[in-house]
Amino acid sequence: MVSLQNVSSGYNGQEIIKDASISFEKGTITTIIGKNGSGKTTLLRTASGLLKALSGKVLLNGRNIKEHSSNEIARQISFLPQTRITPEISVYNLVMHGRFPYMGFTRISQEKDKKAVEDALAKMGLAEYRDRNIQTLSGGERQKAYLAMVLAQDTDIIFLDEAITYLDINHQFEILNIILQLKKMGKTLVMVLHDLNSALTYSDRICLMDKGRIILYASSEKIVESRELERVFHVNCCPVAMDGESTQYVFTLKKD
Ligand code: ADP
């Protein structure tokens, strides 16, 4: 489990995240929402140990994350960043990168590493893409290849920064359903999403951020009830009950 206690973090000594305290519970999906520049990515990077806290503590399974080696962290936390260069690499070799934290310096894959890669490729429906250069894949296929890498890394905690942005609606649903499956496997997922309806419908908890602060950390229902979402985004939020489906949310711009 990852938890933050009164954490401040930022860049070049300048505080972006201010006094954040939050725990991401095992087997749940938490989505961080907030306007551009509110500090979502910075919070994700801090919680995953990629960015050092300026003050406060980040705990990984009860121990300060600073006391874990980078390999130890990589066996417990995977992080899929928002912007990535697309290297010239086959799908198979990309997914094998997820096994590096288990391989030591030689980076020679063992049977268990090969099996983890095969399983991840199969789970993502990418077996026939194994030899394809990832530069030749569509955005949706490429995202699935990166998720297969995360799956092969086999960590309990998964951080995803804008994993569905720029994907068509079918790929968005496909990725969100994969995320639900990961949760069913007992993984802890923490992600940043821009689509507020998807955030509210797929998450157990929402972390609402504004100007570097966590404003609320609660269930979707509580977040909607509080009306903080409407204040922060300057929108009206209207829950729509769907026949036999979960509640969906429609947003309109506030007039004033
Ligand atoms: P969000 O993910 O909510 O859009 P970010 O965490 O990316 O917000 O950014 C929060 C603030 O931190 C912004 O003002 C941004 O300019 C600043 N920031 C982000 N990354 C860096 C960086 N590498 N160096 C300096 N400032 C940064």
Side-chain angles (χ1 to χ4, degrees), residues 10-12 14-17 32-45 51 82 161-162 192 194 209 212:
Y11 309 93
N12 312 316
Q14 193 201 339
E15 211 178 60
I16 301 286
I17 300 298
I32 304 171
I33 58 173
K35 287 164 76 162
N36 286 331
S38 58
K40 302 181 294 297
T41 296
T42 307
L43 182 70
L44 220 52
R45 298 187 71 216
L51 187 66
Q82 171 191 351
D161 198 354
E162 294 193 31
V192 171
H194 275 301
M209 295 198 66

